[in-house]
Amino acid sequence: MRTEKLNYNLPAELIAYDPPAKRGSSRLLIVDRTTGSIEHGSYADIPKYIQKNDMIVLNRTHVPKARVYMKDQANDRTFEVLFNKQLGKNEWELLIGGRNAHKGMRLYVNDPTKNLLVLKEQIPEQPIWIAQIEIGSPEDLFDKYGHVPLPPYIKRDDVATDLERYNTVFSERGHSAAAPTASLNLTDDILKKVKKKGAYVEKVQLDVGWGTFAPIRSDNIEEHHIHTEKIRIEPTTCDTINDLKTRGGRLWAFGTTVTRVVESATDPVTRKIEPYTGETDIYIYPGYVWKIVDVLVTNFHAPKTSLLALVSSFMGYELMMKAYEEAVRERYKFLSYGDSMLII
């Protein structure tokens, strides 16, 4: 598929730069893949579409204040440092904002005797650096000096409420550089209503990396090289999901991150999901054979991205473009803090 086919007109005023005033009050576009029907509702309506013995799967990852402004020890120039992924006890994968970062550069905040970061090497053809924390700890840096890593298109400073609203109500552990946005508007009350319908709730983990915002730069989507991300799914969760599928229940994936976990961990022949802890580079685009996801809840994504390719694969390209045109026409809010789409 030509990447240009994943393009659409996204008016700047439809991009959500702030969360809704109340969590759970965002809008919901409901799309039926079988009939092609499109309806309008509220995110709080989700329990209406849940059936007994359905299962919703959530990503429990946490987004810490992982963006830190640090100074070059040699000349006091300031660099924006995004701690993207932990590789070892004190070794990190970073994104560096600012020019002239170089191997051996020593970065600090306030006092180099208390916190010091050394750039070791840059990954070829990527804006990623490998660095070592020589003095201090990441927790100390995040707690004292960190900022919420809001998406790059949100041109404002983070505020205190972003730490809460750019995390889900059920975030538990892990380190994500971006939020699992499809479930940002889930509330405890909505989850209670889901369980009251006789549905199950399970959690997996994918630590979201910087690549989630990366556009597809190749002419054809098949030529795109997707980023890798850490995932984890426990044996008990797999047993519950496999039992659900045996009984004919539907698996709801809340977001593309959950989708990548469960599709990565499912055997393509047996269609059984298996425990896994490690990395995934699964790339889902039209032509992909879906293995386990039945229903998808997802936000409205930026043009020419792997996220849009995944949604196109799940619901069909023509129906997806029709849904996006409807969302633009009806003035839905787009991207991370925006409205959502339920694809049945």
Side-chain angles (χ1 to χ4, degrees), residues 50-55 194 197-200 244 247-250:
I50 295 282
Q51 299 172 4
K52 185 177 181 180
N53 292 324
D54 279 355
M55 176 186 293
V194 166
K197 293 287 292 282
Y200 303 88
L244 169 93
R247 292 183 283 106
R250 298 182 302 174

Side-chain angles (χ1 to χ4, degrees), residues 76-272:
D76 272 357
R77 285 180 305 171
T78 299
F79 291 82
E80 180 182 335
V81 180
L82 175 61
F83 288 75
N84 183 61
K85 184 190 299 184
Q86 188 168 10
L87 303 176
K89 182 178 180 182
N90 291 309
E91 188 176 60
W92 282 81
E93 184 181 278
L94 312 173
L95 266 78
I96 305 289
R99 297 182 179 181
N100 302 318
H102 59 85
K103 182 177 180 178
M105 188 165 71
R106 304 167 74 82
L107 298 170
Y108 73 99
V109 183
N110 288 347
D111 186 349
T113 66
K114 294 183 179 178
N115 44 75
L116 187 64
L117 180 74
V118 180
L119 301 189
K120 296 172 62 179
E121 61 177 323
Q122 184 174 10
I123 297 178
E125 301 181 1
Q126 292 189 35
I128 294 288
W129 282 87
I130 306 301
Q132 188 81 20
I133 297 177
E134 291 201 347
I135 301 176
S137 69
E139 293 79 17
D140 185 59
L141 281 174
F142 301 160
D143 289 344
K144 292 183 178 179
Y145 311 110
H147 297 264
V148 178
L150 295 175
Y153 59 81
I154 295 182
K155 306 297 184 182
R156 66 170 174 82
D157 293 333
D158 62 311
V159 294
T161 54
D162 283 315
L163 184 59
E164 175 190 355
R165 296 303 301 276
Y166 200 58
N167 272 294
T168 64
V169 296
F170 50 81
S171 68
E172 296 173 354
R173 61 191 190 216
H175 178 102
S176 279
T181 57
S183 51
L184 282 182
N185 276 295
L186 274 175
T187 64
D188 291 330
D189 183 60
I190 293 174
L191 289 172
K192 287 178 183 177
K193 290 178 179 178
V194 166
K195 293 176 182 178
K196 192 173 181 179
K197 293 287 292 282
Y200 303 88
V201 177
E202 288 288 334
K203 296 172 186 174
V204 297
Q205 186 170 331
L206 182 144
D207 291 336
V208 189
W210 69 276
T212 192
F213 298 116
I216 299 175
R217 301 190 184 280
S218 56
D219 291 336
N220 299 303
I221 64 172
E222 295 85 357
E223 299 166 356
H224 178 63
H225 297 288
I226 201 166
H227 54 291
T228 60
E229 291 169 314
K230 291 181 178 180
I231 67 172
R232 178 181 177 86
I233 182 167
E234 282 91 1
T236 53
T237 300
C238 293
D239 290 343
T240 305
I241 292 175
N242 287 330
D243 180 62
L244 169 93
K245 300 297 285 188
T246 299
R247 292 183 283 106
R250 298 182 302 174
L251 187 146
W252 289 52
F254 267 73
T256 58
T257 63
V258 169
T259 300
R260 296 188 75 214
V261 175
V262 296
E263 289 289 325
S264 294
T266 301
D267 186 283
V269 176
T270 66
R271 301 297 175 93
K272 297 290 186 182

